[in-house]
Amino acid sequence: MTVTLTEIHNLPLDWDVLLLDKTSRVSVNFRELGKYTFFSSAGETVREFRIVVGRNEFVETNDLDLAGAPQDFVLSQNYPNPFNPSTQISYEIPVASQVKIVIYDLRGQFIWTLIDEQQSAGRYVVSWDGTNAGNERVASGIYLVRMEAGRFDCIRRVILIK
């Protein structure tokens, strides 16, 4: 399922809208991503969200219902895995960091850069739609997701099935 916010352009430019998914412990800034896609687990009938709206400083300090800031750097396994046509990759950063998340094939060849930016401490999610830097669909197979943030460096395998 996908949650979108269509009227964000009506808010003042110094305001943010943060969606907190309490089930997956992910926070999404709608100014940055515009939408949030999640997958329900079998038997899940209720999913709890919190939306925080306000000035940037207010939003950053009011995501406490998500159990506070992360304590460690984390690159979670993507969901779903295997996937087709897209997958969600969640990650956590305990302090503001330059975050880079890149997709490679098993030979180590560059496929796509998902994130390469300075981010504040928090929980994030990014999507990969199985395309490369040329916006072409890649072949079915195993790919590597590498996250670098400060001294943190982690790789996860993801499987694309067409």
Side-chain angles (χ1 to χ4, degrees):
M1 301 186 78
T2 300
V3 177
T4 58
L5 185 63
T6 58
E7 300 297 321
I8 197 164
H9 63 275
N10 289 329
L11 293 173
L13 292 177
D14 64 337
W15 283 34
D16 280 331
V17 177
L18 191 70
L19 174 100
L20 307 171
D21 182 342
K22 292 186 175 185
T23 302
S24 65
R25 300 176 47 85
V26 169
S27 64
V28 176
N29 186 325
F30 275 99
R31 283 269 190 221
E32 296 171 5
L33 294 179
K35 67 179 180 178
Y36 173 57
T37 301
F38 64 94
F39 302 92
S40 299
S41 59
E44 181 180 35
T45 58
V46 176
R47 189 150 187 138
E48 188 175 351
F49 297 96
R50 179 176 179 208
I51 296 178
V52 181
V53 180
R55 293 185 187 272
N56 311 86
E57 308 80 37
F58 172 79
V59 170
E60 287 180 10
T61 59
N62 281 280
D63 65 353
L64 300 178
D65 280 356
L66 214 54
Q71 300 300 305
D72 294 306
F73 287 96
V74 173
L75 174 61
S76 299
Q77 186 62 53
N78 66 307
Y79 183 82
N81 193 33
F83 71 96
N84 180 11
S86 67
T87 190
Q88 304 288 312
I89 302 162
S90 300
Y91 60 99
E92 301 177 6
I93 53 175
V95 295
S97 304
Q98 179 69 28
V99 177
K100 188 172 185 177
I101 300 178
V102 179
I103 307 292
Y104 297 94
D105 66 17
L106 281 179
R107 294 175 286 158
Q109 293 182 330
F110 169 79
I111 300 295
W112 183 251
T113 299
L114 299 178
I115 298 286
D116 189 3
E117 63 187 36
Q118 181 74 23
Q119 293 184 321
S120 57
R123 293 174 177 87
Y124 297 87
V125 64
V126 64
S127 296
W128 181 43
D129 63 0
T131 59
N132 63 19
N135 205 28
E136 302 163 325
R137 303 280 306 156
V138 297
S140 295
I142 299 173
Y143 292 86
L144 304 174
V145 176
R146 180 179 186 186
M147 176 180 163
E148 297 173 273
R151 294 168 32 143
F152 177 79
D153 192 345
C154 183
I155 296 174
R156 298 269 184 227
R157 290 181 179 211
V158 300
I159 301 170
L160 171 61
I161 296 178
K162 292 187 181 183

